[in-house]
Amino acid sequence: MSDNDGKKTLGLRGGARSGNVKQSFSHGRTKNVVVETKRKRVVVPKPGATAAKGASGGAVSATGAKRPAGISDAEMERRLKALQAAKAREVEEAAQREAEEKARAEERDRLRAEKEQKEREQREAEEAIKRKAEEEERKAREAAEAAKAAAAAPAPDDSPRAARAPKEKDAPRRAAVQVEREDRSGRGKKGGDEGGRRAGKLTLNQALGGEGGRQKSMAAMKRKQERARQKAMGGAQAREKVIRDVKLPEAITVAELANRMAERVADVVKALMTNGIMATQNQTIDADTAELIIEEFGHNVVRVSDADVEDVIQQVEDKAEDLQPRPPVVTIMGHVDHGKTSLLDAIRDAKVTAGEAGGITQHIGAYQVQTDSGSLLTFLDTPGHAAFTSMRSRGAQVTDIVVLVVAADDAVMPQTVEAINHAKAAKVPMIVAINKIDKPSANPTKVRTDLLQHEVVVEQMSGEVQDVEVSALTGKGLDELLEAIALQAEILELKANPDRAAQGAVIEAQLDVGRGPVATVLIQNGTLRQGDIFVVGEQYGKVRALINDKGERVQEAGPSVPVEVLGLNGTPEAGDVLNVTETEAQAREIAEYRANVAKEKRAAAGAATTLEQLMQKAKDDENVSELPVLVKADVQGSAEAIVQALEKVGNDEVRVRVLHSGVGAITETDVGLAEASGCPVIGFNVRANASARNTANQKGVEIRYYSVIYDLVDDVKKAASGLLSNEIRENFIGYANIKEVFKVSNVGKVAGCLVTEGVARRSAGVRLLRDNVVIHEGTLKTLKRFKDEVAEVISGQECGMAFENYDDIRPGDVIEIFEREEIERTLS
């Protein structure tokens, strides 16, 4: 079938303008007529089609749609509605998808525009920075050229021709510069307001004219440019916060806290203000507050104390292979005048005893002796006087072997017992040297027997303690004594590590006029060298010189070597420990910490903590008389011994108070302190300088010099005894009974008495007894015998008595008569 046969279009009447009519054919049979207009498409059933369908067994709904067989009109209508609803949903979903696609397209366009705008701004910012750098470089170059031209230019000519010449000559250059400026100003206007951008910047005229005050450095300008570049490229990258371990002492300033956290001080102050604490950067805050601030900034807190400054002094355990043999340290101890120094002189072949005042040792000395066998021995000589207990204790603490010297003609004495106790407390071996064996009265057996009472059993008494009979005068037994010391040292196997930082003990310290503070140090471990920085007690210094016991200058001192150390900043205390540090700052910090601790201890010891203690202290001070003194000695050990001896002088009524003690000559400052305190100055083996003597004479300050500690202590005792109040003793001299009481005009009541015992004197004191109870104590106003005033009335006689300012007397009372006697007291 051809196309014309399958589809034939017919023109309807009146339909040429309103639309087209199409007739569809299916297999040569016409079904419907479709009419298409401009507004809508209408399906018109062909006349007779319904009947034809009905005839063939089909059904058509009211809407003209074909209804399948077996489907009712209601079911068909429902299906049609469902179909329409599905189509409506499809249309709605299509519209929604179209709207979403449109929104995504708009978002892509917006992001693309923003990216392009950001890149454009970045390029503009980089160009602006580049232009600014070029402008600054050009200005700097022009300034340098102008300065060079000004330096090379000849003297100015004031003539008009000379004034016109440079202008004419430089006209082309000035024109080029003007064009360049106009070009730059044009670019600036195109990119933004150049004048606003340059507002407040440093110009060349301001720089050359000296205006503008403080100028920024080149590094600051570079940092500013870098920040601007980072900001133009999208903002500076946030740096990762560094978490630090902040060491926190008991108290710290705000500035130091900020420094340890690496934070700005202003931020720390702001954090404190946020927590309600108003503090400046120089104020000190406590550790708890600082810990809160540190945690707020996100750092870790490491609590430390002031004592941690001493951690730099490392206590290193020496390895066995580093240890080397060292000489033994031998301390000579015993009672005073038992021949300790004489024995040491005989060993050293020296004459130390001849130089000691009073023939007794009053200083602790350190010497090194080489025996005939070639071995070295270090000897410490300690005083034997009772006042030098601390010296003997110090000698026992640093020693390896104790040689106990006992006189054969004097046996065991109090200081001998004390030396035994010191040796036992230090847990060091002991060798007994029985001295003065050459005297006719020598009895070494008694010495050995007396030592048994103090648990010292010598070898001859079947004990383990070596004993040697020696004579310092004849030299007998000295070789045996040295052999015994060497044997004991060999048993001890003494070793030390010389290849480490030195550590030693101060044996003695003094203030030398020409050399300054000098300390005698016994090196215990390591090696002390010239130039080492050290701390000793509350003092520190650098080794300027080392001098051995022979007065020779040495470069270093190893273990068990006694040396004098020069270079201290002050006089240390005897017994302080010397430690070598790496830097002077560490030594100074440790010394300052120890000084502060000692100061706080002294303040705490002298302070009353409660009101009751304060009142009791004031009461005690009121009832006790004090004798203030000022002590200056030649060495620190002697000053310490004198202070300890003077503190023991006194009783509940009188005591000696040492206002100040020190070493060195008596100075004008000491005299001024003594004059202000009203006390004498005691010099032990020292003298006052010329200015101090003149000041003392002018101000009436007494200066007393001593070289023997016996005399010093005795004189202070006598002076303190003068402060004791005299003892009052009462002697009863008589009794009188009142027989009758008379009233006499202008006198008052007068008692008629009978002296029953002793004597009644006019100048004596009286007590009135009633029923054996004292009701009045006073003096007599009158004592008469008949009508005469008499001085005394003996027993068995009658007399008249009247009391001073007392009239309550009755018959039967007893008058007790006594006399008072004052007796001077002294300190034992």
Side-chain angles (χ1 to χ4, degrees), residues 4 35 243 329 489 504 550 688 706 781:
N4 293 330
V35 180
I243 306 299
V329 179
K550 300 180 181 63
Y706 297 93
K781 182 167 62 174

Side-chain angles (χ1 to χ4, degrees), residues 3-30:
D3 295 336
N4 293 330
D5 295 335
K7 183 182 292 185
K8 187 175 182 180
T9 304
L10 300 177
L12 300 178
R13 184 180 300 173
R17 294 186 301 269
S18 60
N20 298 323
V21 178
K22 297 181 180 180
Q23 187 174 9
S24 301
F25 298 93
S26 177
H27 303 286
R29 189 171 53 190
T30 301

Side-chain angles (χ1 to χ4, degrees), residues 626-632 646 656-660 666 670-671 673-683 696 700-706 715-716 719-720 723:
E626 288 186 345
L627 175 64
V629 294
L630 193 148
V631 177
K632 293 300 287 290
L646 295 183
V656 178
R657 180 184 178 190
V658 180
L659 296 179
H660 172 70
I666 299 172
D670 300 327
V671 175
L673 177 59
E675 190 266 339
S677 304
C679 67
V681 180
I682 296 176
V701 176
E702 181 183 9
I703 300 178
R704 292 198 170 205
Y705 301 120
Y706 297 93
D715 285 357
V716 173
L723 298 178

Side-chain angles (χ1 to χ4, degrees), residues 207-357:
L208 296 178
E211 299 177 358
R214 184 177 179 181
Q215 302 177 6
K216 292 184 178 181
S217 64
M218 186 62 69
M221 296 174 66
K222 289 182 178 179
R223 289 194 299 268
K224 187 175 181 180
Q225 293 176 4
E226 181 66 19
R227 286 196 299 270
R229 189 177 68 83
Q230 292 287 347
K231 184 177 181 181
M233 295 179 64
Q237 296 293 330
R239 292 182 299 177
E240 183 179 356
K241 186 175 182 62
V242 179
I243 306 299
R244 291 178 170 83
D245 293 334
V246 181
K247 292 184 178 180
L248 182 61
E250 296 299 327
I252 189 173
T253 61
V254 177
E256 179 63 21
L257 178 61
N259 184 29
R260 295 188 181 188
M261 292 191 300
E263 303 285 352
R264 296 174 62 244
V265 179
D267 296 338
V268 178
V269 173
K270 188 184 299 183
L272 288 170
M273 294 175 64
T274 305
N275 288 276
I277 300 173
M278 307 298 292
T280 62
Q281 63 177 357
N282 297 324
Q283 288 184 353
T284 303
I285 58 177
D286 59 287
D288 295 335
T289 304
E291 184 175 357
L292 293 176
I293 300 301
I294 293 172
E295 292 176 351
E296 185 173 336
F297 279 91
H299 299 291
N300 300 325
V301 180
V302 180
R303 284 291 191 103
V304 297
S305 63
D306 295 337
D308 292 342
V309 298
E310 294 189 346
D311 291 344
V312 297
I313 303 176
Q314 299 178 357
Q315 302 294 334
V316 181
E317 291 292 337
D318 296 321
K319 297 180 180 178
E321 57 269 17
D322 297 335
L323 299 178
Q324 299 179 12
R326 65 172 179 85
V329 179
V330 183
T331 301
I332 309 295
M333 304 179 72
H335 191 71
V336 63
D337 200 25
H338 275 202
K340 299 182 297 298
T341 307
S342 300
L343 182 62
L344 187 57
D345 286 347
I347 296 174
R348 297 176 58 234
D349 194 14
K351 295 183 179 180
V352 177
T353 308
E356 293 286 357

Side-chain angles (χ1 to χ4, degrees), residues 30-47:
T30 301
K31 294 173 60 179
N32 294 323
V33 178
V34 179
V35 180
E36 292 182 358
T37 66
K38 292 181 178 180
R39 298 183 62 182
K40 60 183 178 180
R41 181 171 180 267
V42 180
V43 179
V44 181
K46 185 177 180 180

